Amino acid sequence: ARALADASDWQRQGLGLSVAINVSMDSLRDLDFPERIAAEVRRAAFNPAQLVLELTESRLPPNPVVLLDTLTRLRLKRYALSIDDFGTGYSTLAQLRDIPFDELKIDRGFVQRAHADPARGAILAASLGMARQLGLRTVAEGIEDADDWQHVQRLGCDLVQGYHIARPMPPALDARLALLTRT
């Protein structure tokens, strides 16, 4: 609720920012969860198309059939689904095929120093290429310096997050956040 209220404030200030919220597997097992999210989105007067719900890969069950009903209803409500920390869990590529994800967040372990480490570089490039072929937006986690940022830009990554871009900050907008959203 707090994240949606803050993001709604940003929208009223003219910033078309999306907000990503981590979701627990317990929440996804609750068939009422999509309706509770919808109620919070309405209460915050937030654009549902700008809400991204992040599921951590290591928490995804090997057989997601139980969760598919909830995930499908969330997608029907126009919420984007993101697989977070991709590459660190025990998921299979079948989950990318079977779960209606919109976004692939590549774990920092495959992003940081990928420009200097052939194994990391190969995994990063392959993950980005696979995501493109599946029509998924990509996010590189852990961008801590200009070399990492330039490398993921060359590889065509859509979005980045990390201290090189900005450190965590309070929700009140300042000039730096406004500048970041326009670059």
Side-chain angles (χ1 to χ4, degrees), residues 20-83:
I21 300 171
N22 290 313
V23 177
S24 76
M25 286 303 113
D26 290 339
S27 294
L28 292 175
R29 288 184 185 97
D30 178 358
L31 293 177
D32 293 329
F33 181 69
E35 293 308 318
R36 286 199 329 269
I37 291 289
E40 291 296 336
V41 166
R42 280 190 303 276
R43 189 176 355 272
F46 187 70
N47 179 355
Q50 291 185 270
L51 176 60
V52 180
L53 301 174
E54 294 184 358
L55 293 74
T56 301
E57 179 196 17
S58 62
R59 303 265 184 188
L60 290 174
N63 182 1
V65 173
V66 175
L67 305 177
L68 281 178
D69 181 71
T70 301
L71 294 172
T72 301
R73 288 191 296 128
L74 289 166
R75 287 292 292 125
L76 288 171
K77 292 181 180 302
R78 298 185 14 214
Y79 307 128
L81 299 177
S82 177
I83 184 166

Side-chain angles (χ1 to χ4, degrees):
R2 180 77 253 159
L4 290 170
D6 291 340
S8 186
D9 288 344
W10 299 334
Q11 284 180 342
R12 282 190 292 280
Q13 294 175 42
L15 298 172
L17 299 174
S18 294
V19 64
I21 300 171
N22 290 313
V23 177
S24 76
M25 286 303 113
D26 290 339
S27 294
L28 292 175
R29 288 184 185 97
D30 178 358
L31 293 177
D32 293 329
F33 181 69
E35 293 308 318
R36 286 199 329 269
I37 291 289
E40 291 296 336
V41 166
R42 280 190 303 276
R43 189 176 355 272
F46 187 70
N47 179 355
Q50 291 185 270
L51 176 60
V52 180
L53 301 174
E54 294 184 358
L55 293 74
T56 301
E57 179 196 17
S58 62
R59 303 265 184 188
L60 290 174
N63 182 1
V65 173
V66 175
L67 305 177
L68 281 178
D69 181 71
T70 301
L71 294 172
T72 301
R73 288 191 296 128
L74 289 166
R75 287 292 292 125
L76 288 171
K77 292 181 180 302
R78 298 185 14 214
Y79 307 128
L81 299 177
S82 177
I83 184 166
D84 194 10
D85 297 333
F86 182 75
T88 62
Y90 300 102
S91 71
T92 66
L93 295 178
Q95 287 179 321
L96 287 177
R97 178 197 65 206
D98 297 340
I99 297 176
F101 287 111
D102 300 281
E103 181 178 273
L104 184 75
K105 290 184 74 175
I106 303 167
D107 185 72
R108 71 181 53 248
F110 302 111
V111 173
Q112 291 177 333
R113 307 281 307 145
H115 61 280
D117 180 332
R120 288 180 193 205
I123 293 169
L124 175 60
S127 297
L128 290 168
M130 179 185 58
R132 263 192 299 280
Q133 289 181 347
L134 293 171
L136 303 176
R137 181 178 50 247
T138 54
V139 181
E141 297 178 324
I143 300 297
E144 307 299 320
D145 60 38
D147 290 335
D148 289 342
W149 192 9
Q150 291 165 1
H151 186 67
V152 297
Q153 282 181 311
R154 280 192 301 274
L155 292 174
C157 188
D158 299 312
L159 301 168
V160 298
Q161 71 180 59
Y163 286 174
H164 183 69
I165 307 305
R167 297 215 178 248
M169 61 185 85
L173 286 179
D174 62 16
R176 183 172 179 190
L177 180 58
L179 174 66
L180 287 173
T181 61
R182 290 183 172 85
T183 57

